[in-house]
Amino acid sequence: MLYKRSSELFAQASKVIPGGVNSPVRAFKSVGGTPVFVKEAKGAYLYDEDGNRLIDYIASWGPMIFGHAFEPVTNAVIEKAKKGTSFGMPTEIETQIAELAVSMVPNIDKIRFVNSGTEACMSAVRLARGFTGREKIIKFSGCYHGHSDSFLIQAGSGAVTFGTPNSPGVTQGTAKDTLLAPYNNLEAVKELFEANKDEIAAIILEPVAGNMGCVIPKHEFLSGLRALCDEHKSLLIFDEVMTGFRLAKGGAQEVFNIAADIVTFGKVIGGGLPVGAFAARAEIMSYLAPEGPVYQAGTLSGNPLAMAAGLAMLTELNNNPELFTSLEEKTKYLHEGFDKVLEESELDYTINRFGSMLSVFFAKEPVVDFQSAMVANNDTFKKYFHGMLKEGVYLPPSSFESYFLNDALSYEDLDKTISALKKVVPTL
Ligand SMILES: *Cc1c(COP(=O)(O)O)cnc(C)c1O
């Protein structure tokens, strides 16, 4: 058996960890079977506990944009660790990474570091509410902004995979302040603004969605949201936890040339350590404690190891901007290779791709929102996932996730992946 030790480790883990994992999507619930336990990883490859080598398309869900165990980052962490791992006092490196991030991303003057994307989004919404003096927010079905209460309303990926779009434990009181609209549907947002005049603090969205699979925004959708926020004096929050420092130095704001009022980060910004951040113009950030009244804090926020990893990562990205183009080219190559194989089959499929993000949906119609993503055939997806895994390709174990390409992937790896699909397609 290919995954004997992984199965044993999963059984053991399940006795002491709920569901055997510390984050639900890892458990393979939506594709069946038992999860693969990783022993180590280098570059584009994962090495599991059974000695299998897998080509990795999740990159730790985004952070490992240069591939695994990337030396500038690992060396920075090792050197920093020798000097103490946490102080609860300010350190110079926090200013260094803040200066670099502010120089790379448009429309932000100040940035606050936290420990996860969840924390970043939760804090961004609190700040928006404090700044505007309003309580309601608009989010889009299928967008995920972490697991804090007000976001677990049709939240995409993990939350959808598990059939609990509205998680027990989230109160009605919280849920009533989160208004929902379909992605790419400006008309629905206009109606929400009309029905809730002067009550909407912010719109939050993934500027390219990744948590219902990769879904691309229409340009007039993003520009329309910007205009509506201006008209109603609400704030536009771009959740760039996935897209930030992945689509471009300046993230989706740069790519689409649309200014957000608050931007959240996670994943790439921490280089594989637990980091999140949120940022805005000085006028908005001045509302944050200790400068202003909106409280937000963290014992390990700005942790030296996390900042060392993040600073090394952002420095590499800042010095090698051609990476974004080369990643996009690789993703396009994979897309075209997949297209060629799938076109010759009888299967209904749609591939969405943006930058280095890509998703394969087994659906005939274009996937533009959560509704159309849900139509995709999950039975086919399960077989596809396990077939590819058998061929040594590790894909996201849910159709509601995006692939994240990393720079360590060679064209040979991509060709192998396309050949794997060729073998798998007849079994679907
Ligand atoms: C991953 C993700 C989050 C949550 O980040 P965590 O670090 O997992 O808490 C929030 N928003 C988006 C868009 C994400 O992809």
Side-chain angles (χ1 to χ4, degrees), residues 283-307:
E283 172 203 10
I284 297 173
M285 290 306 265
S286 71
Y287 272 67
L288 209 57
E291 206 178 332
V294 176
Y295 195 69
Q296 192 281 324
T299 301
L300 292 177
S301 293
N303 171 270
L305 295 194
M307 295 298 96

Side-chain angles (χ1 to χ4, degrees), residues 140 183-187 189-190 205 207 216-228 236 256 258 368:
F140 297 92
Y183 202 77
N184 273 324
N185 187 333
L186 200 56
E187 218 34 57
V189 179
K190 272 186 199 156
L205 84 158
I216 300 158
K218 295 177 190 148
H219 197 272
E220 63 272 22
F221 174 60
L222 293 182
S223 58
L225 294 180
R226 178 67 272 171
L228 280 172
L236 182 61
F256 295 110
I258 288 180
V368 297

Side-chain angles (χ1 to χ4, degrees), residues 113-122 147 241 265-267 274-277:
F113 284 90
V114 295
N115 305 287
S116 68
T118 295
E119 249 189 280
C121 294
M122 177 185 88
H147 63 90
V241 170
F265 299 104
K267 301 194 168 110
V275 180

